[in-house]
Amino acid sequence: MVGTETVEGPGSSTRPARHRTGERPTTEPDPDGRRSPRLPSAVRVLPSAARVLLSSVAPGSLLVPLFLVLLLLQVVLTYGRGELVVASVLTVALVLPLVWLRRAPGAVFAAVVAAAFVQWWAGVQLPADAALLVALYAVAADAGRRAVFVACAVLEGGALLACLRWATPGAFLAPFAALTAAVVAAAALGVNARTARAFLVASQERAARLEQQRDQQARLAVAEERSRIAREMHDIVTHNLSVMVALTDAALHARDHAPEAAATAMLRASETGRQALVDMRRSLGVLRCDGPGVDGPGAERRPLPGIGDLQELTERMCAAGLPTVLDLRGAHDRLPATAQLTVYRLVQEALTNTLKHAPAGARAEVRLQCRARSVTVDITDNGPCTTPPRPEAASGHGIPGMRERAAAYRGTLRAGPLPGGGWHVHARLFLDSAEAATA
């Protein structure tokens, strides 16, 4: 920071006196002959020096010594022998701490401010004062809002002291405004850099969180698909095997006294096995890429079972030894295919449980009420009170799987023994549920 002094001679106007360090005058004539104050040299070099310093410290700290050498050369060429040592030492004290700017911006700012105060006290004006702006930028880019305010207040105080000491008389406002603008600009750039860095970090964290959520949703989708396939396999295998076992037992008992009835039972067991193969192939078709198998080219293209297939299901149950009556009320043609499949699987599972657990002579009844927005299913049997409790809460895919199917349509399912004997399953599905999923 370099000062100027005016010398008044007799009969002459105020003329600038060159500083003993060889500095330019701080006033220059206007076109009309009047003299206007000029900004101190430190104010003039601050913007350009700050840009150079900011660009030099951004890639790393290796360019700071190079810039320091350039400033020292400028000091050697500008200052006289008397002030050369002091100016060189102060230049080093102002610029060298910038090497550690990224590691400790607060400590570097304090060191640069201390060196600038010593410079002000010694009365030496230096272009290296731009290091103050660089240090302020680093503090604003790293610290919080309170630290930025404190740093700006410190530099504003320094700007005030510098202008009070070195500004041309009567021209205090212009250099002070220029220094204030430089301080505000450096702080704004630092705050903007900190905001951009925080936004980048938040974006990276959000991307990582979204990727984690995507992986989690993919795992949940896989688990849900496995559960769905497990329910399908359970319903298909359990029902058809139970029917096949019942038909086979009936054929064994009738082979001696009723060979024709035994042959009919074995034929139905064979048909049930083939139907099980078709259903399994259709359910697992999404997991396979090979062509049609033993069941013919139309096996995979066969429609999913629905309410219209309940009559055939009840006939198979009757052939297996469980007389079953179907009471179907309401139109079911316009019901969604997935809802019809759910109803079919619920009835199939309930009748299979009855076939396995009810004693001989039991009868079953299926009542189905179809409405525009709901479907009500009731399956009852008349087994005696001595029927052992059925594993409602047991592990597996029986009644728990039925509840999962009903829950897919925001429905409920109740299953339990009747007071007078037998077993009752009641389910209600809501077809207008937006959360209805493929059961």
Side-chain angles (χ1 to χ4, degrees), residues 94-390:
L94 285 169
V95 178
L96 189 59
L98 297 180
V99 175
W100 298 277
L101 191 62
R102 290 185 177 273
R103 298 182 181 179
V108 170
F109 178 80
V112 174
V113 169
F117 178 77
V118 174
Q119 172 202 356
W120 176 85
W121 179 76
V124 181
Q125 200 171 5
L126 297 170
D129 288 334
L132 289 166
L133 298 180
V134 179
L136 175 61
Y137 169 85
V139 170
D142 183 77
R145 183 179 302 177
R146 182 178 301 178
V148 175
F149 287 157
V150 172
C152 289
V154 171
L155 286 197
E156 279 295 297
L160 179 63
L161 293 177
C163 291
L164 288 176
R165 182 164 188 172
W166 288 305
T168 304
F172 171 83
L173 186 59
F176 182 74
L179 290 175
T180 301
V183 170
V184 172
L189 289 175
V191 172
N192 183 67
R194 183 185 63 193
T195 303
R197 186 170 62 247
F199 177 77
L200 179 60
V201 172
S203 299
Q204 292 175 348
E205 292 178 352
R206 181 174 179 271
R209 185 170 60 253
L210 290 177
E211 183 178 0
Q212 182 179 3
Q213 292 178 356
R214 182 193 62 188
D215 296 340
Q216 184 178 5
Q217 290 176 357
R219 290 193 296 268
L220 291 177
V222 171
E224 183 178 357
E225 183 66 13
R226 288 178 177 175
S227 177
R228 186 193 68 81
I229 295 175
R231 289 197 306 267
E232 289 292 324
M233 292 300 99
H234 172 270
D235 293 343
I236 294 171
V237 173
T238 303
H239 167 73
N240 289 284
L241 286 182
S242 299
V243 173
M244 291 173 64
V245 168
L247 291 172
T248 305
D249 291 341
L252 289 175
H253 286 84
R255 64 179 179 178
D256 294 333
H257 59 278
E260 294 182 358
T264 302
M266 294 302 297
L267 181 60
R268 286 187 174 273
S270 177
E271 293 176 352
T272 303
R274 290 190 179 92
Q275 182 62 38
L277 290 176
V278 173
D279 293 342
M280 290 179 62
R281 187 173 183 82
R282 181 178 55 235
S283 299
L284 297 177
V286 294
L287 305 178
R288 304 184 61 179
C289 301
D290 54 351
V294 296
D295 296 294
E300 290 83 357
R301 296 189 296 271
R302 179 175 176 176
L304 294 173
I307 296 177
D309 299 311
L310 289 178
Q311 185 62 42
E312 181 182 354
L313 176 63
T314 56
E315 292 177 359
R316 288 203 305 266
M317 300 305 296
C318 292
L322 178 64
T324 306
V325 178
L326 176 62
D327 183 8
L328 179 58
R329 300 179 183 179
H332 63 273
D333 298 337
R334 296 185 179 182
L335 298 182
T338 53
Q340 294 196 36
L341 175 63
T342 299
V343 173
Y344 182 88
R345 295 302 186 199
L346 292 177
V347 175
Q348 183 186 55
E349 178 65 23
L351 293 179
T352 302
N353 289 337
T354 301
L355 181 63
K356 290 192 300 182
H357 298 286
R363 294 177 177 271
E365 181 181 1
V366 178
R367 294 188 301 274
L368 191 64
Q369 179 68 50
C370 298
R371 296 183 177 89
R373 296 186 177 182
S374 65
V375 178
T376 304
V377 183
D378 289 282
I379 305 99
T380 58
D381 64 67
N382 62 346
C385 298
T386 56
T387 301
R390 302 179 189 183

Side-chain angles (χ1 to χ4, degrees), residues 1-4 23 26 37-46 125 162-163 166-168 171 174-176 179:
M1 294 182 285
V2 181
T4 61
E23 183 145 336
T26 58
R38 294 183 60 195
L39 297 177
S41 60
V43 176
R44 295 195 305 272
V45 301
L46 276 178
Q125 200 171 5
C163 291
W166 288 305
T168 304
F176 182 74
L179 290 175

